[in-house]
Amino acid sequence: MVGTMSATTILGHSIDRREDPGPLTGSTPFLADPLGVKGIGESGTTGSISAVWNAVVDALAPYGIDHLDPPFTPEKVWRALRSDPDHGRTARPA
C-alpha cells in the first residue's frame, strides 16, 4: 500500500532484534585505507569544530584578537588575552 501508514502508533512499529539482522550482501574494500575499511560516525561531528573555532574567535574579538590556532587550551586563550604578541599561536612549520 503506497501512501498508507501501516502503523499509526508507536506500538504498531516492529522492532528489529539481534536475531533478525537480515542478509548481509557483498562488500567493497576501501583502497585508501591500509585496513581496507571505512570510518563511520565522524561526519556528524565535523561541523562542531568550525562552530567552536568561530565561537572562540568571536568571544575574543572585543579584545582585538582576530585569530587563534587550535587547540584552544586555557593557557593559550589566557596568553592571547594578556596581549602576548604571538596571541598564543603555535609556531607554524616553514
Side-chain angles (χ1 to χ4, degrees):
M1 299 178 141
V2 177
T4 303
M5 292 180 55
S6 60
T8 57
T9 67
I10 191 70
L11 298 174
H13 288 279
S14 63
I15 298 174
D16 293 332
R17 298 185 313 252
R18 187 175 51 175
E19 294 86 20
D20 304 326
L24 300 175
T25 58
S27 67
T28 304
F30 186 60
L31 302 177
D33 185 291
L35 297 175
V37 297
K38 296 180 183 180
I40 187 167
E42 295 93 1
S43 62
T45 62
T46 56
S48 63
I49 298 167
S50 298
V52 169
W53 193 335
N54 285 331
V56 170
V57 173
D58 286 348
L60 296 174
Y63 300 96
I65 300 164
D66 62 352
H67 180 81
L68 193 65
D69 289 331
F72 306 116
T73 61
E75 179 182 359
K76 191 179 286 187
V77 173
W78 181 81
R79 285 177 183 262
L81 289 171
R82 300 297 295 167
S83 299
D84 182 0
D86 194 30
H87 294 302
R89 295 181 186 162
T90 56
R92 294 183 181 169

